[in-house]
Amino acid sequence: MFAISLGDDGAELRPLEPSRAEEFLAHMDRGREHIGQHILLADVVKDLDGARAFLQAYAQKAATDTGRIYGIWTDGKLVGGVLFRTMDVAQGTAEAGCWLEPSAVGRGLVTRAARVIIDWAIEERGIHRVEWQVSSENEPSIAVARRLGMTKDGVLRESYLYRGRRHDAEVWSVLAPEWTAAKSRRAS
């Protein structure tokens, strides 16, 4: 398995494979309340079977080139992740997302990890548009979209039901030419 360094602090990005189901469940248990504030992941991964099934679904997505999932590790401990929830190579679109347990908040880990996977999607897979859909109440995730240089495309009013309440979803995106130009500016 490969690991990609996320900087000088020792953080790493690695594929999150089904063989990591126990570790993934332990991570969810540590961050369940925090993670579940805005995303369904904490409600889906409740036990080892759920963790294994979730990771297996993403292994299948990777095998069919329709999605990917990666974990973020610090000091050898899984603390969060980034993913392509959907990926349509023929259309050149992908939807990225993230989650993080409380112990890892505020260190820029998601922004750094998302940059790695967006670079890969645009440069290696030819993705033209990467979307970031987020609850309008999820300020930390909106801040990541901004740090990634994404543009707010709009708000889908009361577009999804979560924990018995309708929520607005913001759609943010970055296009390949914008991403490439911003990457060049960061490098100079």
Side-chain angles (χ1 to χ4, degrees), residues 95-166:
E95 180 192 338
C98 67
W99 73 93
L100 204 58
E101 68 180 60
S103 68
V105 169
R107 298 170 50 190
L109 294 168
V110 166
T111 302
R112 290 184 272 160
R115 279 192 179 123
V116 169
I117 70 168
I118 293 170
D119 276 347
W120 172 81
I122 289 172
E123 294 171 6
E124 302 295 324
R125 300 304 299 131
I127 296 297
H128 177 74
R129 175 187 167 87
V130 176
E131 288 187 359
W132 191 269
Q133 292 192 25
V134 56
S135 165
S136 293
E137 298 172 8
N138 190 346
E139 287 299 326
S141 189
I142 292 168
V144 170
R146 285 187 179 112
R147 284 192 297 276
L148 292 171
M150 293 184 164
T151 299
K152 183 177 175 180
D153 293 333
V155 177
L156 304 173
R157 298 177 309 133
E158 296 186 7
S159 66
Y160 68 101
L161 185 63
Y162 182 60
R163 294 186 173 176
R165 189 167 70 85
R166 290 232 156 257

Side-chain angles (χ1 to χ4, degrees), residues 31-57:
R32 188 169 310 284
E33 185 176 323
H34 178 74
I35 294 165
Q37 290 177 48
H38 301 289
I39 63 171
L40 185 62
L41 179 59
D43 294 346
V44 171
V45 179
K46 293 181 182 180
D47 56 27
L48 188 54
D49 287 340
R52 193 173 287 115
F54 185 82
L55 295 179
Q56 187 60 47

Side-chain angles (χ1 to χ4, degrees), residues 17-26 45 47-48 51-53 55:
E17 299 169 340
S19 63
R20 300 259 185 198
E22 287 184 33
E23 184 178 15
F24 183 51
L25 177 60
V45 179
D47 56 27
L48 188 54
R52 193 173 287 115
L55 295 179

